[in-house]
């Protein structure tokens, strides 16, 4: 196994700057860590790994706080050795908050709880990795978001739905893996960026996975839960809503049926006997052929609340996904609009969900496209807890073959002002619980890892997993700051490496958008596999397209007056901005409006010329990415260099296919030539 590939951003390479090495060894000459919790042991182990790797130094441990020059522990363990102002700083933080401070020639890492201690240790290690000056630290930190979750879409047979990095690290050949070392390392990586919750099986729960909540599997799942728990991460399971029928042969799964309710209460009690800190259930119901309460003429609140009642005595949560729509709708009917579905289904139910239910809402109204508007359901339910859902896995954004750094996209989502309670009602503030009085809220995302040696298939795709964790901990971080952190920890602090890879990452989303689906229209992708161009591709049937291109124009009319009325789901001024053609941002034009090919964009280009220009440009930009990467060969280890070089070769082929097929399609559809007379195949 190549350790550089495997260790992602926790490389812990030897520090070659002598004065930095000397400073760090002096700071860490006599260390005390207080506490006996597994989370404290994880923090101790990680610090030892980091110091051994970066300084080639074995830590000297002491039990005496007075003798130590480096003190680690939670507030209850070390309060007597802190100044009053330090204790006050911690009082003002959440349970996951911590301080990393220099005082009286000692360094303190103190958390309100052991979780805070672990996060503080990771913060200190991160500063070491980027060669920061650690002589005068005054860090006070806590996460912006309460829930910071990863969803694994892993199946028991070892496959990963929408997985692009090999097989599952949890399951192989219909069994839970026996060797869980890789799971433990994954827990280390997640905890280092502040993830605190994980679901470990696919939201599409198939036959055998239904039994994960039975004693057939619970002992082995407990072993996985214990691993994550030691890194301050609570384990959740995706469930089959029809489990009472599938497992014990009940005649119904009606959420209002007394026998069904009792079945779930007994099942939950059994789970908590095995896993006392079990997080709860993730549920996909009544969508894409999955069972749910609709079968019994019940609604989503009925279904979620039945599970919530069973989990409530144990502080368990129900994460109920809002990806609900009729996947067999006739797309030829322009009054039918998949984008409306989540809001139409859930908005009328506001106030009916129990307080331990969280609605998990995709960041856009469709399905993780390269460009789509923010879902209007986010923030629209003031009495219902919400999570926004991102996708770290690049299902529609290059599948970890094409480079697409997604942090800039997610930042745009988090910065979007809904105006739901006036100016400043951003998604970031909503999911942080600062706009509505949510008891629980936060952010979840679909994972992008597998058993590939480098975890993510494309080495540079590791930046999305790292960046997701860092961003949801602190949304004020810039895309560039996050990128530079990741590069320095992963490849070292050489200026040329940091600058060139940083530039590549920061431009990659725009480049991918340039050669794929233009102006927010989305899709145009091969059905089923979701990779490569298929301009008329529609996922579930032969019915129509997503883009409504004809000889005269392109785009979906979602206006109030003549279209599907989707724009009416937004608050003002967003409603008018999207609804009025002249006000609509160019990058979302075709999502909201059907326009002629010669419609002029705000930059002076016609729509058709924009399509031609961006698709030619996107291909050329991929060539530039390749050149930039190749220039780093002498500064890079061979294995990781070759991995990324191969991905760029594949991306170039993909970009050419998109360029040629999109341009040819719209030239033939419109009959309008490229004004620069470039070759269109």
């Amino acid at each position: 196994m190549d350790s550089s590939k495997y260790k992602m951003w926790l490389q812990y390479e030897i520090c070659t700057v002598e004065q930095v090495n000397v400073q760090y060894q002096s700071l860490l000459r006599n260390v005390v860590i207080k506490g006996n919790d597994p989370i404290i042991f994880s923090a101790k182990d990680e610090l030892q790994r980091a110091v051994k790797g970066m300084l080639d130094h074995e830590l000297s441990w002491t039990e005496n706080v007075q003798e130590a020059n480096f003190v680690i522990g939670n507030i209850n363990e070390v309060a007597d050795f802190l100044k009053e102002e330090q204790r006050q700083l911690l009082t003002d933080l959440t349970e996951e908050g911590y301080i990393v401070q220099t005082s009286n020639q000692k360094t303190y890492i103190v958390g309100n709880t052991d979780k805070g201690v672990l996060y503080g240790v990771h913060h200190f290690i991160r500063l070491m990795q980027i060669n920061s000056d650690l002589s005068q630290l005054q860090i006070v930190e806590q996460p912006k978001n309460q829930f910071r979750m990863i969803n694994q879409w892993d199946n028991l047979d070892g496959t990963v739905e929408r997985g692009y990095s090999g097989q599952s690290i949890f399951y192989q050949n219909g069994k839970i893996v026996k060797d869980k070392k890789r799971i433990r390392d994954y827990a280390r990586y997640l905890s280092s960026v502040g993830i605190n919750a994980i679901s470990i099986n696919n939201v599409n729960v198939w036959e055998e996975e239904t039994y994960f909540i039975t004693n057939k599997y619970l002992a082995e799942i407990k072993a996985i839960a214990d691993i994550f728990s030691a890194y301050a991460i609570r384990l959740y399971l995706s469930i089959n809503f029809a489990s009472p029928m599938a497992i014990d042969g009940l005649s119904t799964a009606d959420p209002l049926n007394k026998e069904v309710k009792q079945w779930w209460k007994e099942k939950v009690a059994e789970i908590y006997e095995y896993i006392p800190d079990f997080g709860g259930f993730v549920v996909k119901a009544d969508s894409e052929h999955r069972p749910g309460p609709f079968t019994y003429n019940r609604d989503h609140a009925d279904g979620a609340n039945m599970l919530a009642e069973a989990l409530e005595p144990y502080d368990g949560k129900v994460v109920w996904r809002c990806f609900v729509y009729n996947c067999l709708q006739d797309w030829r009917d322009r009054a039918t609009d998949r984008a409306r579905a989540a809001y139409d289904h859930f908005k009328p139910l506001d106030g009916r969900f129990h307080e331990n239910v969280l609605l998990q809402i995709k960041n856009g109204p469709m399905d993780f496209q390269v460009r789509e508007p923010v879902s209007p359901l986010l923030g629209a339910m003031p009495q219902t807890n919400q999570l926004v859902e991102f996708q770290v896995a690049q299902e529609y954004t290059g599948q970890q073959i094409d480079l697409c750094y997604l942090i800039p996209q997610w930042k745009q989502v988090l910065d979007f002002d809904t105006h739901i309670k006036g100016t400043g009602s951003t998604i970031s503030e909503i999911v942080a619980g600062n706009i509505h009085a949510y008891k629980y809220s936060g952010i979840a995302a679909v994972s992008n890892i597998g058993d590939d040696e480098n975890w993510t298939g494309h080495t540079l795709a590791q930046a999305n997993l790292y960046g997701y964790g860092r961003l949801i901990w602190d949304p004020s971080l810039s895309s560039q700051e996050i990128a530079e952190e990741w590069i320095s920890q992963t490849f070292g602090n050489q200026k040329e490496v940091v600058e060139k890879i940083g530039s590549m990452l920061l431009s990659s989303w725009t480049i991918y958008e340039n050669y794929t689906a233009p102006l927010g229209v989305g899709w145009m992708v091969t059905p089923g596999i979701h990779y490569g161009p298929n301009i008329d591709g529609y996922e579930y049937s032969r019915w129509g397209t997503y883009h409504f291109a004809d000889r005269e124009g392109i785009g979906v009319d979602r206006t109030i007056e003549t279209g599907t009325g989707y724009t009416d789901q937004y608050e003002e001024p967003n409603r008018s901005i999207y609804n009025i053609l002249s006000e609509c941002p160019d990058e979302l034009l075709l999502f909201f409006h059907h326009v002629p090919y010669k419609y002029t964009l705000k930059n002076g280009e016609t729509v058709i010329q924009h399509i031609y220009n961006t698709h030619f440009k996107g291909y050329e930009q991929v060539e530039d990415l390749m050149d930039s990467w190749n220039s780093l060969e002498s500064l890079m280890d061979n294995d990781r260099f070759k991995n990324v070089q191969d991905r760029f070769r594949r991306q170039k082929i993909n970009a050419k296919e998109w360029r040629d097929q999109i341009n040819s399609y719209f030239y033939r559809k419109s009959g309008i030539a490229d004004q620069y007379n470039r070759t269109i195949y």
Side-chain angles (χ1 to χ4, degrees):
M1 180 177 70
D2 183 273
S3 62
S4 294
K5 287 182 181 179
Y6 183 84
K7 292 190 291 186
M8 292 208 278
W9 54 86
L10 299 185
Q11 296 288 318
Y12 300 157
E13 292 295 325
I14 194 75
C15 176
T16 58
V17 182
E18 185 176 357
Q19 71 236 37
V20 172
N21 196 311
V22 169
Q23 183 195 75
Y24 292 179
Q25 291 208 36
S26 176
L27 282 173
L28 292 156
R29 67 182 182 274
N30 203 4
V31 183
V32 63
I33 185 165
K34 305 297 288 184
N36 294 301
D37 185 273
I39 295 174
I40 293 294
F41 297 150
S42 296
K44 181 177 182 179
D45 175 71
E46 203 62 41
L47 187 61
Q48 288 182 133
R49 285 174 186 259
V51 170
K52 177 63 177 175
M54 286 187 274
L55 307 180
D56 192 23
H57 172 67
E58 296 289 349
L59 284 171
S60 175
W61 297 97
T62 180
E63 292 294 321
N64 191 323
V65 176
Q66 301 282 16
E67 293 178 359
N69 76 318
F70 200 103
V71 179
I72 306 170
N74 71 45
I75 184 65
N76 293 325
E77 296 281 356
V78 300
D80 292 344
F81 305 97
L82 300 179
K83 294 180 178 179
E84 176 58 34
E85 54 264 34
Q86 290 176 308
R87 290 193 291 269
Q88 186 57 51
L89 285 173
L90 286 160
T91 300
D92 295 337
L93 299 177
T94 65
E95 67 167 15
E96 294 177 307
Y98 58 87
I99 60 171
V100 183
Q101 291 196 331
T102 305
S103 178
N104 295 333
Q105 298 183 317
K106 290 189 179 187
T107 302
Y108 293 85
I109 300 178
V110 184
N112 270 332
T113 62
D114 292 341
K115 297 175 186 178
V117 174
L118 178 63
Y119 297 137
V121 167
H122 277 302
H123 193 143
F124 182 83
I125 292 171
R126 183 164 60 248
L127 295 175
M128 290 180 65
Q129 287 180 280
I130 61 178
N131 290 353
S132 297
D133 181 355
L134 304 182
S135 60
Q136 295 296 323
L137 296 171
Q138 295 297 325
I139 296 166
V140 181
E141 278 262 356
Q142 65 181 4
K144 173 88 169 183
N145 292 292
Q146 180 186 24
F147 273 76
R148 306 179 303 281
M149 190 174 196
I150 279 286
N151 294 167
Q152 299 294 140
W153 283 2
D154 296 41
N155 301 310
L156 190 61
D157 65 3
T159 61
V160 180
E161 184 164 338
R162 307 307 176 191
Y164 312 110
S165 312
Q167 296 288 98
S168 172
I169 70 168
F170 297 93
Y171 318 111
Q172 292 177 358
N173 303 317
K175 296 181 180 179
I176 295 173
V177 296
K178 296 297 183 184
D179 182 356
K180 296 180 176 60
K181 179 182 182 302
R182 187 156 188 152
I183 296 174
R184 184 173 298 279
D185 282 332
Y186 186 41
R188 291 176 51 231
Y189 300 137
L190 294 181
S191 74
S192 75
V193 292
I195 301 299
N196 66 358
I198 187 170
S199 60
I200 62 167
N201 62 310
N202 192 357
V203 293
N204 293 312
V205 182
W206 306 113
E207 292 184 9
E208 186 61 22
E209 288 93 328
T210 297
Y211 291 87
F212 277 8
I213 57 174
T214 70
N215 57 16
K216 182 176 182 179
Y217 290 102
L218 280 172
E220 290 181 279
I221 289 173
K222 170 186 166 47
I224 296 174
D226 287 346
I227 290 170
F228 282 111
S229 181
Y231 288 90
I233 302 168
R234 291 186 76 175
L235 183 136
Y236 288 67
L237 289 172
S238 297
I239 61 160
N240 178 352
F241 189 81
S243 291
M245 302 171 71
I247 294 173
D248 281 328
L250 270 65
S251 61
T252 181
D254 182 352
L256 300 189
N257 180 280
K258 290 183 179 180
E259 188 178 4
V260 171
K261 286 185 173 184
Q262 184 61 32
W263 187 93
W264 278 109
K265 288 179 180 179
E266 293 173 2
K267 182 55 59 185
V268 165
E270 180 184 7
I271 294 169
Y272 278 93
E273 285 180 8
Y274 282 92
I275 309 171
D277 65 344
F278 179 65
F281 297 141
V282 176
V283 189
K284 178 178 179 179
D286 289 313
S287 182
E288 297 180 331
H289 312 294
R290 304 311 301 147
F294 285 3
T295 302
Y296 310 100
N297 294 317
R298 312 303 187 193
D299 59 32
H300 296 287
D302 294 326
N305 289 342
M306 178 263 295
L307 297 170
E309 289 172 7
L311 288 162
E312 194 275 335
Y314 309 93
D315 193 34
K317 313 297 187 297
V318 178
V319 178
W320 191 273
R321 297 182 80 241
C322 295
F323 187 54
V324 177
Y325 69 102
N326 178 7
C327 63
L328 298 179
Q329 63 192 3
D330 187 345
W331 201 246
R332 295 169 298 183
D333 179 0
R334 297 195 183 199
T336 301
D337 189 356
R338 170 172 167 176
R340 293 186 57 102
Y343 189 100
D344 287 346
H345 278 299
F346 287 92
K347 170 64 174 172
L349 301 177
D350 189 28
R352 287 196 47 222
F353 291 92
H354 286 197
E355 67 174 12
N356 59 327
V357 175
L358 297 90
L359 297 187
Q360 183 165 307
I361 304 164
K362 288 191 177 185
N363 62 269
M366 299 298 272
D367 195 5
F368 301 129
Q369 298 302 292
V370 67
R371 176 81 65 175
E372 56 182 302
V374 173
S375 171
L377 185 59
L378 289 164
M381 302 177 68
Q383 300 178 73
T384 306
N385 302 318
Q386 293 189 341
L387 301 172
V388 61
E389 179 183 358
F390 294 130
Q391 189 183 53
V392 186
Q394 295 169 232
E395 180 180 354
Y396 290 100
T397 51
Q399 299 193 356
Q400 286 143 244
I401 299 169
D402 301 38
L403 180 63
C404 192
Y405 179 58
L406 292 168
I407 311 309
Q409 183 195 66
W410 300 335
K411 281 191 69 67
Q412 283 194 11
V413 172
L414 293 175
D415 290 344
F416 178 76
D417 196 339
T418 67
H419 294 273
I420 205 80
K421 287 183 74 174
T423 302
S425 302
T426 63
I427 300 299
S428 179
E429 294 300 311
I430 288 167
V431 297
N434 295 331
I435 301 300
H436 305 309
Y438 292 155
K439 184 172 183 178
Y440 305 112
S441 59
I443 302 178
V446 183
S447 172
N448 69 339
I449 66 102
D451 71 352
D452 278 1
E453 190 173 11
N454 70 350
W455 295 86
T456 58
H458 194 317
T459 296
L460 300 188
Q462 295 171 10
N464 283 329
L465 181 60
Y466 176 87
Y468 167 70
R470 292 291 288 131
L471 179 67
I472 67 174
W473 177 281
D474 182 3
S476 72
L477 291 170
S478 72
S479 299
Q480 181 173 342
E481 286 176 307
I482 292 170
E484 290 179 353
E485 280 186 3
W486 175 78
I487 298 162
S488 294
Q489 292 173 78
T490 304
F491 295 108
N493 294 289
Q494 298 171 84
K495 183 178 179 182
E496 184 177 356
V497 172
V498 173
E499 288 181 351
K500 286 191 174 181
I501 298 179
S503 178
M504 292 163 63
L505 290 173
L506 291 168
S507 63
S508 61
W509 175 39
T510 299
I511 292 171
Y512 187 82
E513 184 177 22
N514 279 344
Y515 65 78
T516 55
L519 301 171
V521 72
W523 311 99
M524 296 186 180
V525 67
T526 304
I529 63 171
H530 298 171
Y531 187 80
N534 185 319
I535 295 86
D536 285 335
Y538 180 77
E539 190 69 62
Y540 284 99
S541 75
R542 64 185 182 277
W543 293 330
T545 69
Y546 284 102
H547 55 72
F548 292 129
D550 53 28
R551 182 169 178 79
E552 303 304 321
I554 179 177
V556 185
D557 184 355
R558 291 190 161 100
T559 64
I560 297 166
E561 295 80 6
T562 59
T564 69
Y566 167 77
T567 57
D568 198 37
Q569 293 183 347
Y570 291 91
E571 297 292 319
E572 291 290 3
N574 296 320
R575 180 187 299 121
S576 294
I577 289 171
Y578 292 147
N579 195 67
I580 299 170
L581 177 58
S582 61
E583 298 295 317
C584 188
D586 283 347
E587 65 269 20
L588 290 171
L589 178 71
L590 301 184
F591 189 94
F592 287 106
H593 298 276
H594 186 86
V595 298
Y597 291 108
K598 290 189 175 181
Y599 178 82
T600 302
L601 302 173
K602 293 176 175 62
N603 65 3
E605 291 179 329
T606 63
V607 167
I608 189 64
Q609 194 59 46
H610 175 87
I611 291 172
Y612 296 151
N613 288 348
T614 53
H615 285 78
F616 280 114
K617 181 179 181 180
Y619 175 77
E620 294 165 0
Q621 289 173 310
V622 174
E623 292 184 310
D624 293 340
L625 289 175
M626 295 180 70
D627 291 342
S628 187
W629 181 256
N630 288 337
S631 73
L632 296 173
E633 183 172 10
S634 65
L635 303 174
M636 194 70 55
D637 60 279
N638 187 63
D639 283 345
R640 289 191 292 181
F641 176 79
K642 292 294 185 184
N643 168 266
V644 176
Q645 186 180 59
D646 174 68
R647 297 283 161 156
F648 278 136
R649 288 183 183 131
R650 295 165 69 182
Q651 182 173 356
K652 182 178 176 180
I653 293 169
N654 189 38
K656 184 178 186 297
E657 289 178 350
W658 274 98
R659 179 199 69 186
D660 293 345
Q661 290 193 36
I662 290 280
N663 284 346
S664 177
Y665 178 95
F666 286 105
Y667 170 65
R668 294 173 184 177
K669 183 75 77 170
S670 69
I672 301 170
D674 170 34
Q675 71 182 59
Y676 300 110
N677 297 315
R678 290 166 291 196
T679 301
I680 295 179
Y681 296 93

